Amino acid sequence: MVLILTIFGVAYTTFSRQPIKGYWEILVPFIVLVCIGAGWRNATDNAARWHLVLTQMFHWLAFLIVINVMLLPAVQRNFSANATGLAIFTLLTLGTFTAGVHIWSWQVCLLGLIMALGIPAIAWIENSALFFLLIGAGVLGIATVFWWHWRERP
């Protein structure tokens, strides 16, 4: 779910050409809850649970601060919407993987690795969007011709 929400945020930022600060500020606490939930079973007592909660909150607060710095107007003048989206996705990827390391959760680490594999994929898709659009239009045109021809046959 975190992966899908993060990719949605990157896609929205890329296509709207507008930073969506509020979206990231809502998504990061959701990721905090996911990480706390993943590490909860390893926390054996109340002190360990408080340590887990506080370290995850401060860990993700640091990433949220950096994301907000990236979204400052003075910084935005130096980045395109595509670059901003990918940079935020990269930060969330790094944050997810390192959070998984801190809580000893292979599932969260794996999510971070999957997100890392998504970084070049998203960059390639963004650069190839026109290519995909042309292929889609060609396939739709061919399908329409075949459908029309099939419908006309007695």
Side-chain angles (χ1 to χ4, degrees):
M1 186 67 165
V2 171
L3 179 63
I4 293 168
L5 291 172
T6 306
I7 290 174
F8 172 79
V10 172
Y12 183 83
T13 300
T14 300
F15 292 112
S16 71
R17 306 271 186 227
Q18 297 282 347
I20 49 172
K21 181 178 173 183
Y23 183 80
W24 303 116
E25 290 176 347
I26 292 170
L27 181 62
V28 168
F30 177 71
I31 298 173
V32 170
L33 292 176
V34 168
C35 291
I36 290 171
W40 195 259
R41 62 188 147 93
N42 295 334
T44 55
D45 60 2
N46 281 341
R49 289 184 179 129
W50 275 109
H51 183 263
L52 169 70
V53 170
L54 290 175
T55 55
Q56 286 302 304
M57 286 176 47
F58 285 122
H59 172 86
W60 286 104
L61 179 63
F63 280 94
L64 187 60
I65 289 170
V66 173
I67 288 170
N68 279 304
V69 167
M70 288 199 61
L71 295 174
L72 289 173
V75 177
Q76 283 295 296
R77 285 191 285 270
N78 295 317
F79 289 104
S80 67
N82 292 350
T84 299
L86 278 175
I88 290 172
F89 187 60
T90 302
L91 283 169
L92 292 174
T93 299
L94 177 63
T96 302
F97 182 79
T98 56
V101 169
H102 288 294
I103 61 175
W104 291 98
S105 172
W106 67 267
Q107 295 95 339
V108 176
C109 286
L110 181 63
L111 175 61
L113 290 174
I114 292 169
M115 291 168 74
L117 293 174
I119 294 169
I122 288 172
W124 183 78
I125 289 170
E126 286 177 357
N127 291 332
S128 305
L130 181 59
F131 178 70
F132 285 125
L133 181 65
L134 292 174
I135 288 175
V139 168
L140 183 63
I142 291 169
T144 302
V145 168
F146 278 117
W147 176 78
W148 194 351
H149 179 69
W150 178 75
R151 200 179 71 129
E152 294 290 322
R153 292 178 76 183

Short mmCIF file of all heavy atoms in Angstrom, two decimals, residues 1 15 18 29 36 38 49 61 72 79 81 88-90 96 103 107 111 113 119-120 123-124 132:
data_model
loop_
_atom_site.label_atom_id
_atom_site.label_comp_id
_atom_site.label_asym_id
_atom_site.label_seq_id
_atom_site.Cartn_x
_atom_site.Cartn_y
_atom_site.Cartn_z
N MET A 1 0.82 -1.19 0.00
CA MET A 1 0.00 0.00 0.00
C MET A 1 0.87 1.26 0.00
O MET A 1 0.56 2.22 -0.68
CB MET A 1 -0.93 -0.05 1.23
CG MET A 1 -1.91 1.05 1.26
SD MET A 1 -3.06 0.84 -0.08
CE MET A 1 -4.32 1.91 0.38
N PHE A 15 2.72 14.93 -13.32
CA PHE A 15 1.74 15.33 -14.32
C PHE A 15 1.07 16.67 -14.02
O PHE A 15 0.70 17.39 -14.92
CB PHE A 15 0.71 14.24 -14.54
CG PHE A 15 1.29 13.03 -15.20
CD1 PHE A 15 1.41 11.83 -14.51
CD2 PHE A 15 1.76 13.09 -16.50
CE1 PHE A 15 1.98 10.72 -15.11
CE2 PHE A 15 2.33 11.99 -17.11
CZ PHE A 15 2.44 10.81 -16.41
N GLN A 18 2.93 20.44 -10.07
CA GLN A 18 2.77 21.17 -8.82
C GLN A 18 3.24 20.28 -7.67
O GLN A 18 2.88 19.11 -7.62
CB GLN A 18 1.29 21.52 -8.57
CG GLN A 18 0.68 22.42 -9.60
CD GLN A 18 1.09 23.86 -9.40
OE1 GLN A 18 1.63 24.23 -8.37
NE2 GLN A 18 0.86 24.67 -10.41
N PRO A 29 3.36 10.12 8.04
CA PRO A 29 2.86 9.50 9.27
C PRO A 29 2.26 8.11 9.03
O PRO A 29 2.36 7.24 9.90
CB PRO A 29 1.80 10.48 9.77
CG PRO A 29 2.20 11.78 9.20
CD PRO A 29 2.80 11.47 7.87
N ILE A 36 6.16 1.16 12.63
CA ILE A 36 5.96 0.81 14.04
C ILE A 36 5.24 -0.53 14.14
O ILE A 36 5.60 -1.39 14.96
CB ILE A 36 5.19 1.93 14.78
CG1 ILE A 36 6.09 3.15 14.93
CG2 ILE A 36 4.70 1.44 16.14
CD1 ILE A 36 5.38 4.39 15.45
N ALA A 38 5.35 -2.96 12.01
CA ALA A 38 6.27 -4.03 11.61
C ALA A 38 7.28 -4.33 12.70
O ALA A 38 7.70 -5.48 12.86
CB ALA A 38 7.00 -3.64 10.32
N ARG A 49 9.21 -0.67 23.29
CA ARG A 49 8.13 -0.12 22.44
C ARG A 49 8.23 1.40 22.35
O ARG A 49 8.06 1.97 21.27
CB ARG A 49 6.77 -0.56 22.98
CG ARG A 49 6.54 -2.03 22.75
CD ARG A 49 5.17 -2.47 23.20
NE ARG A 49 5.04 -3.89 22.92
CZ ARG A 49 4.64 -4.78 23.81
NH1 ARG A 49 4.29 -4.42 25.02
NH2 ARG A 49 4.57 -6.05 23.48
N LEU A 61 10.59 12.12 10.84
CA LEU A 61 10.53 13.58 10.93
C LEU A 61 11.70 14.19 10.17
O LEU A 61 11.53 15.19 9.46
CB LEU A 61 10.56 14.03 12.40
CG LEU A 61 10.53 15.54 12.63
CD1 LEU A 61 9.23 16.14 12.09
CD2 LEU A 61 10.71 15.85 14.11
N LEU A 72 10.49 23.97 -0.92
CA LEU A 72 10.56 25.43 -0.76
C LEU A 72 10.68 26.09 -2.14
O LEU A 72 11.34 25.56 -3.03
CB LEU A 72 11.76 25.82 0.10
CG LEU A 72 11.68 25.48 1.58
CD1 LEU A 72 13.02 25.78 2.26
CD2 LEU A 72 10.56 26.25 2.25
N PHE A 79 14.64 22.82 -9.71
CA PHE A 79 14.21 21.47 -10.06
C PHE A 79 12.95 21.52 -10.90
O PHE A 79 12.08 22.36 -10.69
CB PHE A 79 13.90 20.65 -8.80
CG PHE A 79 15.09 20.26 -7.99
CD1 PHE A 79 15.39 20.93 -6.82
CD2 PHE A 79 15.91 19.23 -8.39
CE1 PHE A 79 16.49 20.57 -6.06
CE2 PHE A 79 17.01 18.86 -7.64
CZ PHE A 79 17.30 19.54 -6.47
N ALA A 81 9.37 19.52 -12.11
CA ALA A 81 8.40 18.70 -11.38
C ALA A 81 8.83 17.23 -11.40
O ALA A 81 8.69 16.52 -10.40
CB ALA A 81 7.01 18.87 -11.98
N ILE A 88 11.83 13.07 -4.18
CA ILE A 88 11.02 12.73 -3.02
C ILE A 88 10.83 11.21 -2.94
O ILE A 88 10.93 10.61 -1.86
CB ILE A 88 9.68 13.48 -3.04
CG1 ILE A 88 9.92 14.97 -2.78
CG2 ILE A 88 8.71 12.90 -2.02
CD1 ILE A 88 8.72 15.85 -2.95
N PHE A 89 10.60 10.58 -4.07
CA PHE A 89 10.47 9.12 -4.10
C PHE A 89 11.77 8.48 -3.63
O PHE A 89 11.75 7.50 -2.86
CB PHE A 89 10.11 8.66 -5.52
CG PHE A 89 9.80 7.20 -5.63
CD1 PHE A 89 8.78 6.62 -4.90
CD2 PHE A 89 10.54 6.38 -6.45
CE1 PHE A 89 8.50 5.27 -5.00
CE2 PHE A 89 10.27 5.03 -6.58
CZ PHE A 89 9.23 4.47 -5.84
N THR A 90 12.91 9.02 -4.04
CA THR A 90 14.20 8.49 -3.61
C THR A 90 14.39 8.66 -2.10
O THR A 90 14.86 7.75 -1.42
CB THR A 90 15.35 9.20 -4.38
OG1 THR A 90 15.14 9.01 -5.77
CG2 THR A 90 16.70 8.65 -3.98
N THR A 96 12.53 4.32 3.92
CA THR A 96 11.87 3.04 4.15
C THR A 96 12.89 1.93 4.39
O THR A 96 12.75 1.14 5.33
CB THR A 96 10.97 2.68 2.94
OG1 THR A 96 10.01 3.73 2.75
CG2 THR A 96 10.24 1.37 3.17
N ILE A 103 14.49 -1.43 12.54
CA ILE A 103 13.52 -2.24 13.28
C ILE A 103 13.69 -3.73 13.00
O ILE A 103 12.89 -4.53 13.46
CB ILE A 103 12.06 -1.81 12.97
CG1 ILE A 103 11.73 -1.98 11.49
CG2 ILE A 103 11.81 -0.40 13.44
CD1 ILE A 103 10.28 -1.69 11.13
N GLN A 107 10.55 -7.31 5.83
CA GLN A 107 9.46 -6.88 4.96
C GLN A 107 9.59 -5.40 4.60
O GLN A 107 9.39 -5.01 3.44
CB GLN A 107 8.09 -7.11 5.64
CG GLN A 107 7.76 -8.55 5.87
CD GLN A 107 8.13 -9.03 7.26
OE1 GLN A 107 8.96 -8.44 7.95
NE2 GLN A 107 7.53 -10.13 7.68
N LEU A 111 10.40 -3.77 0.98
CA LEU A 111 9.62 -2.67 0.39
C LEU A 111 10.54 -1.56 -0.08
O LEU A 111 10.37 -1.02 -1.18
CB LEU A 111 8.61 -2.14 1.41
CG LEU A 111 7.81 -0.91 0.98
CD1 LEU A 111 6.97 -1.21 -0.26
CD2 LEU A 111 6.95 -0.43 2.13
N LEU A 113 13.66 -1.88 -1.03
CA LEU A 113 14.37 -2.35 -2.23
C LEU A 113 13.46 -2.32 -3.46
O LEU A 113 13.90 -1.95 -4.55
CB LEU A 113 14.91 -3.76 -2.00
CG LEU A 113 16.07 -3.86 -1.01
CD1 LEU A 113 16.43 -5.32 -0.76
CD2 LEU A 113 17.27 -3.09 -1.52
N ILE A 119 12.60 3.44 -8.95
CA ILE A 119 13.14 4.76 -9.30
C ILE A 119 13.55 4.83 -10.77
O ILE A 119 13.07 5.70 -11.50
CB ILE A 119 14.31 5.14 -8.36
CG1 ILE A 119 13.79 5.32 -6.95
CG2 ILE A 119 15.00 6.42 -8.84
CD1 ILE A 119 14.88 5.43 -5.89
N PRO A 120 14.41 3.92 -11.27
CA PRO A 120 14.73 3.99 -12.69
C PRO A 120 13.53 3.67 -13.58
O PRO A 120 13.42 4.21 -14.68
CB PRO A 120 15.86 2.97 -12.88
CG PRO A 120 15.85 2.12 -11.68
CD PRO A 120 15.19 2.89 -10.58
N ALA A 123 11.53 6.86 -13.92
CA ALA A 123 12.25 7.80 -14.79
C ALA A 123 12.11 7.37 -16.24
O ALA A 123 11.89 8.21 -17.12
CB ALA A 123 13.72 7.86 -14.39
N TRP A 124 12.21 6.07 -16.51
CA TRP A 124 12.09 5.59 -17.88
C TRP A 124 10.67 5.80 -18.40
O TRP A 124 10.48 6.23 -19.55
CB TRP A 124 12.47 4.11 -17.95
CG TRP A 124 12.42 3.58 -19.34
CD1 TRP A 124 13.34 3.76 -20.32
CD2 TRP A 124 11.38 2.79 -19.93
NE1 TRP A 124 12.96 3.13 -21.47
CE2 TRP A 124 11.74 2.53 -21.25
CE3 TRP A 124 10.17 2.29 -19.44
CZ2 TRP A 124 10.95 1.79 -22.10
CZ3 TRP A 124 9.38 1.55 -20.29
CH2 TRP A 124 9.78 1.31 -21.61
N PHE A 132 4.66 5.38 -25.25
CA PHE A 132 3.55 4.53 -24.81
C PHE A 132 2.22 5.03 -25.35
O PHE A 132 1.35 4.24 -25.70
CB PHE A 132 3.49 4.46 -23.29
CG PHE A 132 4.55 3.59 -22.69
CD1 PHE A 132 5.40 4.09 -21.72
CD2 PHE A 132 4.70 2.27 -23.08
CE1 PHE A 132 6.37 3.29 -21.15
CE2 PHE A 132 5.67 1.46 -22.53
CZ PHE A 132 6.51 1.97 -21.56
#
